[in-house]
Amino acid sequence: MTRHQKRLSVPKSWPVERKTGTFTVKAGAGPHGKAGVPLLIVLRDVLGYVDTKKEAKYALNNQSVLVNGDAASDVRRPIGMFDILAFTERDEYYRVFPDEGGRLAISPIDADAASSRLGKIVRKTQVNGGKFQLTLHDGANLVVDDASEYHNKDSIVVDNETKDVIAHFPYEEGALVTAVAGSHAGEIGEVVEITTTMGSGNNSVLVETEDGEFETIEQYVVVIDENFAGDDE
């Protein structure tokens, strides 16, 4: 299996130029699936912190690059939506946020905001001992004693150090959301109406923004809060 990725065929979410060369680095196994952007691309092509793969490996060996509170060790580690990047030697922090066209953008944040990250619940299952496991959009799993208040499509905020849930935002009418895919990716607004489709069709959601309204499928929206949105402006 090749360890390279052709630029012309990279996912739309990757923030890379497609016609500046034939190949780029291929994402390794890990969070975010195929949409995950290799950490090397973020360090070299987006932030410009390194010029080569060798320099990136050196930075990771010094444990000066943290992803969601944990030291990154692989330059191919996938980076995706709502991840928190911390550069301890520079005292700089960033959040990965969906931008227009579905591309991922790197937004600077302060140290306090970098202490936790947002996750969308995509699955809830009961595990041994009567506890419940919450699976998030990036594949991360959290075990909680009582999951009665949590539902699929809700969002939670997870402390990067303790891995505890410190905030919960239900998916419901009136919730503040951002579109993460589709033609309205990057737009932020309030849910006006959720329309349930019978059968196997996708449910739709009507969102009101400062510039009007748009409709999309509910898989394309993630609940956020006002402070979260403000960090990225």
Side-chain angles (χ1 to χ4, degrees), residues 7 11 13 24-25 38 54 63 83 111-112 148 154 161 177 186 199 202 206 229:
R7 284 181 175 265
S13 60
T24 186
V25 65
K54 183 178 180 179
Q63 296 189 325
D83 278 345
D112 289 339
S148 58
D154 287 358
E161 182 177 354
V177 298
N202 294 314
L206 181 65

Side-chain angles (χ1 to χ4, degrees), residues 19 30 41 76 85 92 97 119 125 127 133 150 172 180 228:
K19 296 183 179 180
I41 288 180
R76 297 170 62 237
L85 305 178
E92 294 180 0
F97 200 76
T125 54
V127 295
Q133 178 175 279
Y150 304 118
E172 59 189 6
V180 299
F228 181 90

Side-chain angles (χ1 to χ4, degrees), residues 10-28:
V10 299
K12 292 182 179 180
S13 60
W14 286 29
V16 299
E17 297 296 330
R18 286 167 169 74
K19 296 183 179 180
T20 57
T22 303
F23 294 99
T24 186
V25 65
K26 185 177 182 179

Side-chain angles (χ1 to χ4, degrees), residues 173-188:
E173 293 180 358
L176 186 68
V177 298
T178 182
V180 299
S183 60
H184 298 282
E187 295 187 34
I188 295 175

Side-chain angles (χ1 to χ4, degrees), residues 9 26 37 40 70-71 79 84 99 123 130 162 174 199 205-206 233:
S9 61
K26 185 177 182 179
V37 181
L40 174 59
D70 299 322
I79 302 299
I84 300 295
D99 204 352
R123 186 165 57 254
T162 65
V205 55
L206 181 65
E233 292 179 351

Side-chain angles (χ1 to χ4, degrees), residues 57-65 88-89:
K57 286 184 175 181
Y58 178 80
L60 299 192
N61 287 338
N62 288 339
Q63 296 189 325
S64 60
V65 181
T88 56
E89 293 184 354

